[in-house]
Amino acid sequence: MSYSHYTMASGSRTGRRTFEFGRTYVVRPKGKHQATIVWLHGLGDNGSSWSQLLESLPLPNIKWICPTAPTRPVALLGGFPCTAWFDAGELSEESPDDWEGLDASAAHIANFLSTEPSDVKVGIGGFSMGAAMALYSATACALGRYGNGIPYPINLRAVVGLSGWLPGSRGLRNKIQVSHEAARRAASLPILLSHGTCDDVVPYKIGEKSAHSLNIAGFWNLTFKNYEGIGHYTVPKEMDEVCNWLTTKLCLEGSR
């Protein structure tokens, strides 16, 4: 079924919230199935638009899973409801994080990957808020748990974030560095971030700062690329770089 409900205890005063996720679109591999990547759309979008673009990429050995976020009120939009992986206000370190929304979406995403064959490499990617969600999943993977303490079950092999930001950056360095295992996982997880220098939705400096925050927290296998004069959208050159990076990091056969 394309729709699912997810309930997660957060330890917050509000108790439990139920999130109803939208339709999921799947792009089957045209060649040998070597990797599965969950790709996450941006605020107000859905999985369909990205599934069409991903299907056109020269990556025949990747299965793409493109879920749709729940529809919820978003503080950034004055409480207007739209598809969003979590609630978001001002994009700054001072803005409170919606841990319950982040954890519920991260668990929903991990659930897709938990049923993949053991010999298939798994990863998460996304654009804008989808990139933020991918990076939150990367930190959960390194820490070995969600923000609410529930164990994170997936061994991610690649994370891609386009035009996004890092939620939960406050205190991340301390959380990673107090655990040898977390530090090891952070250092070994390949991450590709890219951002347009003229982005007027998620400013370039926020993307740059997110990359810096990840790096000082111990995510050393990180590549940050900037695209001069590009706004809040993707361009063919950027997607070519994503293809090349995934082919290399996931050791894919017969791509490109």
Side-chain angles (χ1 to χ4, degrees):
M1 187 67 183
S2 297
Y3 296 82
S4 66
H5 290 75
Y6 198 87
T7 303
M8 177 171 272
S10 68
S12 70
R13 286 178 297 174
T14 55
R16 293 170 179 258
R17 275 192 293 164
T18 299
F19 299 93
E20 185 170 339
F21 291 84
R23 183 174 176 182
T24 299
Y25 299 81
V26 177
V27 178
R28 304 286 175 187
K30 299 178 180 70
K32 180 184 177 183
H33 183 195
Q34 293 182 287
T36 295
I37 296 177
V38 175
W39 191 273
L40 307 169
H41 62 76
L43 182 65
D45 201 358
N46 60 61
S48 175
S49 58
W50 276 99
S51 70
Q52 295 170 45
L53 172 61
L54 296 168
E55 190 168 20
S56 71
L57 298 180
L59 294 169
N61 301 324
I62 293 181
K63 171 185 173 182
W64 301 95
I65 300 175
C66 302
T68 299
T71 297
R72 70 178 81 204
V74 179
L76 190 65
L77 304 177
F80 184 82
C82 69
T83 52
W85 299 109
F86 53 94
D87 190 16
E90 182 185 349
L91 299 183
S92 73
E93 287 191 0
E94 289 71 43
S95 183
D97 291 296
D98 174 20
W99 296 109
E100 192 176 7
L102 286 161
D103 283 343
S105 287
H108 181 70
I109 295 158
N111 191 49
F112 287 115
L113 297 174
S114 66
T115 57
E116 291 301 290
S118 59
D119 62 338
V120 169
K121 298 164 187 170
V122 297
I124 302 174
F127 174 77
S128 193
M129 180 178 265
M133 198 63 243
L135 293 181
Y136 180 71
S137 297
T139 62
C141 176
L143 292 167
R145 64 182 188 276
Y146 299 100
N148 58 17
I150 294 175
Y152 186 81
I154 305 300
N155 177 27
L156 295 176
R157 302 293 294 274
V159 173
V160 178
L162 312 181
S163 307
W165 71 95
L166 173 64
S169 60
R170 293 187 301 276
L172 177 62
R173 182 181 184 180
N174 292 337
K175 291 176 186 175
I176 295 286
Q177 294 185 351
V178 296
S179 164
H180 176 75
E181 269 303 295
R184 181 190 64 78
R185 285 191 293 262
S188 63
L189 177 58
I191 300 176
L192 172 65
L193 300 181
S194 65
H195 219 106
T197 60
C198 293
D199 193 327
D200 60 349
V201 177
V202 181
Y204 174 75
K205 65 180 181 180
I206 289 179
E208 192 175 43
K209 188 171 185 178
S210 295
H212 178 69
S213 296
L214 285 165
N215 200 258
I216 64 171
F219 290 85
W220 296 328
N221 193 358
L222 184 151
T223 302
F224 180 74
K225 291 187 172 287
N226 62 58
Y227 291 85
E228 196 67 39
I230 299 303
H232 196 64
Y233 49 84
T234 58
V235 291
K237 181 182 178 183
E238 184 179 30
M239 296 313 296
D240 283 346
E241 300 253 16
V242 169
C243 290
N244 291 333
W245 186 86
L246 285 173
T247 297
T248 301
K249 296 299 181 182
L250 297 177
C251 302
L252 302 178
E253 303 166 10
S255 298
R256 305 303 298 163

